[in-house]
Amino acid sequence: MTRIAILDDYQGIALTMADWDSLPDECRVEVFHDHVAHPAVLADRLQDFEIVCIMRERTPFRREILSRLPNLKLLVTTGMRNASVDVVAATTQGVIVCGTAGSAHTTPELTWGLILALQRHIPAEDRAMKAGAWQTTIGRGLAGTTLGLLGLGRLGSEVARIGQAFRMNLIAWSQNLTAAQAAEHGVTRVEKDDLFRQSDVLSIHTLLSARTRGLVGAREFGLMKPSAVLVNTSRGPIVDEAALIDALRNQTIAAAGLDVYAAEPLPRSHPLRGLDNAVLTPHLGYVTYDTFSVMYLQTLECVQAWLAGDPVRVISS
């Protein structure tokens, strides 16, 4: 029997997104809906599985975990790049890592949902309406304001394109961004400090790496306008979370819209959950029916190809 684990199926939809019954009769698929963070508990759960299918970075697979899974032969991740998987350790252990296609539009769409929610106070007004109130806040329009983009790659440039439709002024900075590259997207490149000083909306679209971890901290918040808002749909650790909480509590900045966090799932007692000027979503950037249908279909394809002895979309070290 070949045992296959599907991890972190929070919404309970993995088996409906692909025809898992098409696998050979000797395959047994087991779906786990809860998230297990403790390495020892996770390793104990997955001891007997030859194939593990994971959803993005929900469950990291570092050397510590991989070394405890002697039966693991195939690890399938959604997306073709997953920083939480130690591909070198997996390859050394003889584990093949395969991936799937992703989506370039869903995260920018959510980014704009958060921007509009912040600037027009949509969550607060919704709560007030349901409590019987009427018009309790005054929002801010977008036309003529400045959208600052920390990163102008595949996702950042898509956010910029939508910002143009709102008639915003667009500026951007990243460590390798040139003025010519920015101009290709109708954006003005500025220096890092100017990005924080000038932005009315600051949206983060850079990869998490050693040089971007903690890139936005107390100093950067101190440069921002008190009326400015921060949006992060990239990765939580790019922002110093403690500094962000202080900035929100002290109203150094007006508000933040967050889809990503230093620890995920966000602990129930986390202070961000208690801040009225923070709009929070649970890492929904890629969580749509159209994206999941592709991801799970291609996850199944990876399993089928490996079983046939001809792996597809192999991620090399």
Side-chain angles (χ1 to χ4, degrees):
M1 177 187 295
T2 301
R3 297 190 65 188
I4 302 166
I6 300 175
L7 303 189
D8 296 312
D9 180 19
Y10 296 156
Q11 293 91 352
I13 48 82
L15 295 183
T16 70
M17 290 287 176
D19 185 12
W20 295 93
D21 290 338
S22 65
L23 291 171
D25 291 340
E26 64 268 18
C27 292
R28 177 184 171 189
V29 179
E30 191 167 348
V31 181
F32 297 96
H33 306 296
D34 60 324
H35 175 75
V36 174
H38 196 284
V41 177
L42 180 65
D44 184 63
R45 169 177 283 188
L46 300 178
Q47 273 293 315
D48 299 326
F49 288 91
E50 292 178 275
I51 301 173
V52 174
C53 305
I54 64 175
M55 176 56 70
R56 302 302 297 129
E57 293 97 349
R58 290 178 181 178
T59 297
F61 273 76
R62 307 294 188 193
R63 186 179 300 272
E64 177 186 8
I65 293 294
L66 292 164
S67 65
R68 298 186 184 193
L69 301 176
N71 294 312
L72 183 63
K73 299 295 184 292
L74 174 67
L75 181 64
V76 184
T77 174
T78 51
M80 287 301 295
R81 178 172 55 193
N82 189 335
S84 72
V85 173
D86 189 335
V87 179
V88 173
T91 303
T92 301
Q93 192 173 307
V95 177
I96 294 176
V97 182
C98 296
T100 75
S103 172
H105 64 272
T106 55
T107 297
E109 289 172 354
L110 183 71
T111 298
W112 280 102
L114 289 171
I115 292 171
L116 291 169
L118 291 170
Q119 295 296 72
R120 300 303 296 271
H121 305 153
I122 295 172
E125 291 291 0
D126 173 71
R127 290 192 299 269
M129 283 282 289
K130 290 172 181 174
W134 183 262
Q135 286 198 14
T136 63
T137 66
I138 300 177
R140 293 179 180 271
L142 295 176
T145 64
T146 298
L147 171 63
L149 299 161
L150 183 58
L152 194 62
R154 183 171 61 100
L155 301 183
S157 60
E158 179 69 9
V159 172
R161 187 182 66 82
I162 300 170
Q164 291 169 342
F166 280 109
R167 295 178 292 151
M168 299 181 76
N169 304 313
L170 306 180
I171 61 175
W173 175 86
S174 69
Q175 289 168 320
N176 296 318
L177 180 66
T178 67
Q181 290 169 336
E184 290 177 5
H185 300 287
V187 179
T188 300
R189 184 200 181 275
V190 297
E191 295 302 322
K192 179 186 174 186
D193 284 2
D194 291 328
L195 180 78
F196 287 93
R197 289 192 184 103
Q198 296 177 24
S199 296
D200 295 297
V201 176
L202 179 68
S203 191
I204 299 173
H205 302 285
T206 189
L207 295 174
L208 176 63
S209 66
R211 67 182 184 179
T212 62
R213 185 178 293 271
L215 183 62
V216 183
R219 179 182 177 278
E220 287 69 32
F221 290 123
L223 296 173
M224 294 177 70
K225 302 174 185 178
S227 59
V229 301
L230 173 83
V231 176
N232 188 6
T233 57
S234 183
R235 291 295 179 268
I238 295 170
V239 177
D240 181 331
E241 210 161 73
L244 172 60
I245 292 168
D246 284 344
L248 292 171
R249 283 175 171 166
N250 298 326
Q251 298 185 343
T252 304
I253 62 173
L258 307 173
D259 189 48
V260 290
Y261 310 90
E264 297 183 8
L266 190 69
R268 289 179 179 271
S269 60
H270 198 284
L272 280 171
R273 291 183 183 266
L275 295 176
D276 290 338
N277 56 347
V279 175
L280 311 179
T281 53
H283 205 151
L284 297 178
Y286 61 96
V287 182
T288 64
Y289 275 103
D290 51 335
T291 301
F292 272 28
S293 62
V294 172
M295 285 180 166
Y296 278 120
L297 178 62
Q298 293 193 2
T299 294
L300 176 59
E301 289 176 354
C302 289
V303 173
Q304 292 170 326
W306 181 83
L307 291 170
D310 188 20
V312 294
R313 294 186 294 274
V314 176
I315 300 173
S316 63
S317 56

